[in-house]
Amino acid sequence: MSAQTMHAGELGRRTVGLSESTTGYLTEANAERLVKTLCRVRGAALKLGQMISIQDSDFLPPQLAKIFDRVRESADFMPAAQMHAQLERELGKAWRDSFAEFDEQPFAAASIGQVHRGVLHDGTAVAVKIQYPGVAESIDSDIDNLMMVLKVTGMVPPGLYVDKVLDAARRELAMECDYVREAQCGRIFSGLLHDQPRLNCPAVYDALSTARVLTTALVPGVTLEHTEDMDQQTRDTIATLIMEHTLRELFEYRLMQTDPNWGNFLYDEARGQLNLIDFGATIQYEQHFIDHYIEIIHAASTGASVFVFELTLKPAEIATVPALHSLIHTGVDMVSILYFMTAPCRQCVFSVTCWTVSCRL
């Protein structure tokens, strides 16, 4: 069968190495092939893997959650020659002269780039984030191809509105590919947090940053996945810092870093400080959105679950879907239960959410 006459479903299956008999959720062998494919594709595919992998474990089947957890934790690095070429294009042929040290091996890789450790001539340790070539230009085609793969493999669980998720991935990727915008957002947050010594944003080095390369101070700390063995008081402190910051992002700054990745928070135990990194998915919210959200929270605090439900449905385009109704009812119940469970110790606006994240940590 030629590629021209091959059925789209069969072409999609062959693209990711799946057998013709694949139906429903993936077999273990096919899951392995898909993980490897997603990691090679990077960009849109890896971003989708990251987004889906942080869904609640009760929402995703264990096999699918495991696949995307592996995708989230894995990524192929650029070959050295490709990485050098990208740095030359962005910083000039003498880019290495700006560094006293530069590690050829990246210490981290994300959906659209990889990060290298460097040292400036004054001894400052920096993180150099280098975008994969062509990622920004191929967002739309990558999303479209990924949509085909998802449909033909049948890997999406019921209740996940894949079109909405992919649209969100498309928008988020476009923002994250603009490192000039990310640098500006980082500077804004640094200014907002100047009087909060327990929160820190790394400094941006403009002379070593472009639309495709971003250089910031290298900050210490462990990601939140590695805080579970710390004592309860420390975990409560981390949770409080995150929730106070989250609520201020929404209701005071109306500016939020929306990438829900725990790796964007690094806890420096020696300083008792939380370092915030990666501002590519930062969004500015309009006042009317925040006002509406406050109404929902107030209604939940008074136990007006029906009103919460109606308020939540107001802006939803897909609110007529039965599955969404079920999800919203569940969410209303959760907010109401948490509010009343924390009533004895509720002393400030942050209590409910701090308690919630303390449990998660």
Side-chain angles (χ1 to χ4, degrees):
M1 181 185 299
S2 67
Q4 288 78 11
T5 59
M6 187 182 301
H7 186 273
E10 177 61 20
L11 180 59
R13 279 189 289 271
R14 293 190 184 184
T15 299
V16 293
L18 302 181
S19 65
E20 187 173 0
S21 61
T22 299
T23 57
Y25 294 120
L26 303 176
T27 65
E28 184 174 348
N30 285 334
E32 184 70 24
R33 295 188 187 98
L34 185 58
V35 168
K36 291 180 179 178
T37 299
L38 294 180
C39 288
R40 286 196 305 271
V41 170
R42 300 178 180 135
L46 194 52
K47 170 56 66 177
L48 182 73
Q50 291 173 333
M51 294 177 72
I52 295 183
S53 70
I54 60 165
Q55 298 290 335
D56 190 278
S57 59
D58 292 334
F59 181 70
L60 289 178
Q63 184 194 30
L64 189 55
K66 184 178 179 180
I67 290 172
F68 282 111
D69 276 339
R70 288 183 57 194
V71 173
R72 180 167 60 97
E73 295 167 0
S74 306
D76 289 345
F77 297 141
M78 279 186 280
Q82 187 181 43
M83 180 266 292
H84 290 164
Q86 182 76 326
L87 286 173
E88 286 187 9
R89 278 191 295 269
E90 298 299 319
L91 303 181
K93 291 187 176 181
W95 66 269
R96 193 179 287 275
D97 293 344
S98 300
F99 300 92
E101 299 177 21
F102 184 86
D103 291 352
E104 294 285 325
Q105 183 71 16
F107 67 83
S111 57
I112 63 171
Q114 61 192 45
V115 189
H116 295 251
R117 179 185 179 275
V119 178
L120 303 182
H121 290 290
D122 65 0
T124 302
V126 293
V128 184
K129 183 160 66 171
I130 308 168
Q131 193 171 123
Y132 302 133
V135 167
E137 293 76 20
S138 63
I139 291 174
D140 288 335
S141 61
D142 284 351
I143 290 290
D144 292 342
N145 290 335
L146 187 57
M147 172 74 83
M148 179 186 70
V149 171
L150 290 175
K151 288 180 176 178
V152 301
T153 58
M155 64 178 291
V156 181
L160 178 65
Y161 297 93
V162 65
D163 290 344
K164 298 291 183 181
V165 173
L166 290 176
D167 284 344
R170 193 190 307 267
R171 292 192 301 271
E172 187 171 309
L173 271 172
M175 289 190 297
E176 291 188 20
C177 284
D178 186 354
Y179 285 177
V180 172
R181 179 183 183 276
E182 179 176 349
Q184 178 62 18
C185 291
R187 283 189 289 268
I188 292 173
F189 269 107
S190 291
L192 292 171
L193 302 177
H194 73 280
D195 60 347
Q196 299 182 47
R198 303 196 72 178
L199 295 174
N200 177 61
C201 299
V204 176
Y205 291 87
D206 292 323
L208 296 172
S209 298
T210 69
R212 301 292 181 258
V213 172
L214 178 60
T215 302
T216 66
L218 182 64
V219 293
V222 297
T223 60
L224 296 192
E225 290 96 333
H226 297 97
T227 63
E228 60 181 337
D229 294 328
M230 294 181 180
D231 61 82
Q232 187 62 52
Q233 182 177 354
T234 299
R235 288 184 289 158
D236 288 346
T237 296
I238 296 171
T240 300
L241 287 172
I242 292 175
M243 286 300 96
E244 288 184 355
H245 175 62
T246 298
L247 291 172
R248 286 193 173 104
E249 281 184 310
L250 276 174
F251 303 119
E252 185 177 337
Y253 314 145
R254 289 191 291 111
L255 184 73
M256 173 172 275
Q257 195 289 97
T258 63
D259 184 358
N261 182 351
W262 289 125
N264 293 335
F265 300 89
L266 302 178
Y267 183 65
D268 181 356
E269 190 171 10
R271 292 185 175 89
Q273 187 178 63
L274 195 65
N275 288 304
L276 312 178
I277 62 173
D278 196 343
F279 297 94
T282 300
I283 293 179
Q284 181 77 59
Y285 292 103
E286 299 294 335
Q287 186 64 54
H288 67 83
F289 173 84
I290 300 302
D291 291 343
H292 182 74
Y293 196 64
I294 281 285
E295 285 185 284
I296 295 174
I297 293 177
H298 180 264
S301 72
T302 60
S305 59
V306 173
F307 188 44
V308 174
F309 182 71
E310 292 174 352
L311 285 170
T312 308
L313 285 180
K314 188 186 301 183
E317 298 177 2
I318 54 173
T320 56
V321 180
L324 182 63
H325 282 261
S326 177
L327 286 172
I328 292 175
H329 276 304
T330 301
V332 170
D333 291 342
M334 288 177 62
V335 171
S336 301
I337 290 171
L338 286 173
Y339 185 87
F340 289 110
M341 286 182 69
T342 57
C345 62
R346 190 162 55 246
Q347 297 177 353
C348 70
V349 70
F350 306 125
S351 299
V352 175
T353 42
C354 286
W355 181 87
T356 305
V357 174
S358 293
C359 291
R360 291 179 66 95
L361 291 175

